């Protein structure tokens, strides 16, 4: 009997916001991305193991880790509700 298991990560674009990148210093679009890693059995994703958020600068490609609260704030800010 063989068991084929592993993990698979998927990226989901949450929002795009405009601000100055901390690495290159250019006012450019920043992508807020959620990465979900799931346990898979026979190539079928079953259980989410972890979730992480990151900010990607489209100008220089710099990646910055975000907390869930920061990602949620960015979504509210891009929707025009900066008080969230």
């Amino acid at each position: 009997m063989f068991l084929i298991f592993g993990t698979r990560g998927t990226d989901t674009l949450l929002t795009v916001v405009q601000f100055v990148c901390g690495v290159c210093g250019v006012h450019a679009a920043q992508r807020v991305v959620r990465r979900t890693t799931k346990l898979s059995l026979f190539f079928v994703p079953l259980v989410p193991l972890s979730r992480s958020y990151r900010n990607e600068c489209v100008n220089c490609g710099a990646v910055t880790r975000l907390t869930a609260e920061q990602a949620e704030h960015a979504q509210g800010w891009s929707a025009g509700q900066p008080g969230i």
Side-chain angles (χ1 to χ4, degrees):
M1 175 180 223
F2 288 103
L3 285 177
I4 300 174
F5 65 93
T7 59
R8 177 177 300 215
T10 57
D11 291 340
T12 305
L13 178 64
L14 297 177
T15 189
V16 177
V17 293
Q18 294 271 340
F19 61 88
V20 177
C21 175
V23 176
C24 66
V26 175
H27 188 271
Q30 310 290 322
R31 299 173 17 150
V32 179
V33 179
R34 176 180 62 213
R35 180 162 187 87
T36 305
T37 304
K38 293 184 178 181
L39 176 70
S40 60
L41 181 63
F42 294 106
F43 306 105
V44 177
L46 297 175
V47 180
L49 297 176
S50 68
R51 184 173 287 167
S52 63
Y53 300 90
R54 66 180 187 256
N55 180 48
E56 300 174 350
C57 177
V58 297
N59 183 53
C60 67
V63 176
T64 307
R65 296 183 65 110
L66 299 175
T67 64
E69 292 80 22
Q70 289 172 323
E72 183 179 314
H73 180 74
Q75 285 182 304
W77 189 52
S78 68
Q81 302 169 2
I84 292 178

